[in-house]
Amino acid sequence: MSEVFGNDPMWVVALKSLLIFVILVLYTLFNIWFERRVVARMQHRVGPNMNGPFGLLQSLADGVKLGLKEEIFPKAVDKVVYFMAPILAVVPAFLAWAVIPFGPEVRIPFTETYTALQLTDMPVAVLYVLAVTSIGIYGIVLAGWSSGSIYALLGGLRSSAQMISYEVAMGLSFVSVFIFAGSMSTSEIVAAQDQWWFFLPLLPSFVIYVIAMVGETNRAPFDLPEAEGELVGGFHTEYSSFKFAMFFLAEYINMVTVSALATTLFLGGWRAPFGIAQVWEGANEGYWPVIWFLGKTLCFIFLFVWLRGTLPRMRYDQFMHFGWKWLIPIALGWTIVVAFVRKAQQEELITQQVLVWGGVIVAVLLAATFLVPEKKEPEPEAEPEAEFDAFAGGYPVPPMPGQQSTDRQEARP
């Protein structure tokens, strides 16, 4: 890690903390507008276009509206826990950004002070992000428990089970990055990607993380805790006004957090995209890397919106089955493969050329499996339909599959 971390004056730490807070709030307002516009375009609608240029101030207007609405406390709530739950959900979302690198070391304008575009760093920075974001689950569980509503309680339980399940797969996808980078520090992981971004050699880890981050943030098609047709509004059913806005803010900041973590671990962090740094020497210097970093995170935000606008919601049992029986075992197996290959590389038992050709062969074999026709099971022979009296209970009911309704027209008055 750089020697700059831990040696900044207090005014620099306060300034960077304030800037992170402002950037996250403004980025959240932009993401809400961006999601509405993209989904509207996918569904051949207009979207927000009245408040401000291109409707950019619509998110701000919605935030002001939520803040000015009447505060409602249902009678059955535990008021202390009910009030603290939104705070527990939103504060960890901000704290996770303490170790996210926005750029390299720069000079603060109008001063002679140099600092890294990162609040701080530590040897276990990625584990810190996982630990802090896990605290947000307590806010969701306590929100459902303290509301005094069965629907909110079921939504909180669903959400906690979902987030805990997919955090396991997410954590396993990080292990291969730690093995390749030789560190858990976010700044050192970015520095290790100066030649190749990790999503290329660690493509399975990248795919596992992308799937897990959608499940972790309760976004469509994994937005099961907020399934309106089943659980009303999920864990925040009994919330209104500013407390509901805090849950809304936490969800969108968590979206940006997992996107920033994906950018840091797999897409080179704040480094310029391929080709730009080769023709422009200053692409990775100064404040330009902040643009590359925010642009990469916006690509993941577009992925979230794209999934919401195209995929239907999964069944809960299918979702948990996929996480525990497929995603986690695949992540474990891939981690073992990466550890073996990395050790063989260090012992010079496998060359880079062998790895490249091996990866090409595996990719071709996986692609060929999609061309193999699926083996269909023989359909069971149809059993003779049993007679079914629709009026046996005094009220007509439709026959089930395999049953044949008897004609009782003559018995009707």
Side-chain angles (χ1 to χ4, degrees), residues 70 147 264 297 381:
E70 179 184 2
S147 295
T264 301
T297 60
E381 297 182 0

Side-chain angles (χ1 to χ4, degrees), residues 364-374:
V364 170
L365 291 176
L366 289 176
T369 58
F370 291 99
L371 303 177
V372 178
E374 183 179 358

Side-chain angles (χ1 to χ4, degrees), residues 67-104:
L68 297 179
K69 288 185 70 174
E70 179 184 2
E71 289 277 356
I72 298 175
F73 284 88
K75 291 183 178 180
V77 302
D78 185 326
K79 288 191 175 181
V80 175
V81 181
Y82 179 84
F83 182 79
M84 291 297 297
I87 300 175
L88 283 175
V90 74
V91 170
F94 284 100
L95 293 178
W97 282 78
V99 295
I100 300 296
F102 287 82

Side-chain angles (χ1 to χ4, degrees), residues 173-187:
S173 67
F174 293 161
V175 176
S176 57
V177 176
F178 301 156
I179 294 174
F180 259 69
S183 174
M184 298 183 189
S185 164
T186 50
S187 60

Side-chain angles (χ1 to χ4, degrees), residues 21-145:
F21 177 80
V22 172
I23 289 174
L24 288 180
V25 173
L26 294 179
Y27 204 8
T28 299
L29 296 177
F30 172 80
N31 287 337
I32 297 172
W33 171 87
F34 180 73
E35 180 175 11
R36 289 175 171 176
R37 293 286 290 190
V38 172
V39 173
R41 180 61 61 91
M42 289 180 176
Q43 298 174 350
H44 300 287
R45 296 186 289 107
V46 177
N49 62 346
M50 298 298 294
N51 295 326
F54 306 103
L56 283 170
L57 297 181
Q58 181 63 50
S59 302
L60 180 61
D62 291 339
V64 173
K65 178 193 71 173
L66 286 173
L68 297 179
K69 288 185 70 174
E70 179 184 2
E71 289 277 356
I72 298 175
F73 284 88
K75 291 183 178 180
V77 302
D78 185 326
K79 288 191 175 181
V80 175
V81 181
Y82 179 84
F83 182 79
M84 291 297 297
I87 300 175
L88 283 175
V90 74
V91 170
F94 284 100
L95 293 178
W97 282 78
V99 295
I100 300 296
F102 287 82
E105 188 174 337
V106 297
R107 184 177 69 87
I108 300 177
F110 309 110
T111 68
E112 296 299 326
T113 303
Y114 286 82
T115 184
L117 289 177
Q118 182 177 354
L119 183 58
T120 187
D121 199 4
M122 57 187 71
V124 290
V126 180
L127 298 184
Y128 162 81
V129 175
L130 285 176
V132 168
T133 53
S134 298
I135 298 175
I137 301 176
Y138 287 97
I140 292 174
V141 174
L142 294 176
W145 176 81

Side-chain angles (χ1 to χ4, degrees), residues 121-265:
D121 199 4
M122 57 187 71
V124 290
V126 180
L127 298 184
Y128 162 81
V129 175
L130 285 176
V132 168
T133 53
S134 298
I135 298 175
I137 301 176
Y138 287 97
I140 292 174
V141 174
L142 294 176
W145 176 81
S146 64
S147 295
S149 168
I150 297 299
Y151 293 109
L153 178 60
L154 290 175
L157 292 176
R158 265 192 174 189
S159 185
S160 59
Q162 173 177 328
M163 296 174 72
I164 292 171
S165 300
Y166 276 75
E167 269 193 357
V168 177
M170 179 182 289
L172 289 173
S173 67
F174 293 161
V175 176
S176 57
V177 176
F178 301 156
I179 294 174
F180 259 69
S183 174
M184 298 183 189
S185 164
T186 50
S187 60
E188 292 185 4
I189 290 174
V190 173
Q193 301 178 71
D194 57 344
Q195 297 296 328
W196 294 98
W197 295 354
F198 283 162
F199 87 94
L200 290 172
L202 302 176
L203 183 60
S205 294
F206 178 64
V207 173
I208 291 170
Y209 177 80
V210 169
I211 297 173
M213 78 178 187
V214 179
E216 175 75 8
T217 52
N218 297 338
R219 294 283 300 183
F222 303 149
D223 56 336
L224 299 164
E226 302 172 14
E228 296 86 354
E230 304 170 29
L231 301 174
V232 189
F235 57 89
H236 49 59
T237 300
E238 302 295 324
Y239 281 87
S240 63
S241 188
F242 190 71
K243 295 188 292 299
F244 174 78
M246 293 180 71
F247 281 118
F248 201 65
L249 179 66
E251 177 182 334
Y252 276 85
I253 292 180
N254 284 329
M255 284 173 55
V256 182
T257 301
V258 295
S259 301
L261 201 56
T263 299
T264 301
L265 299 181

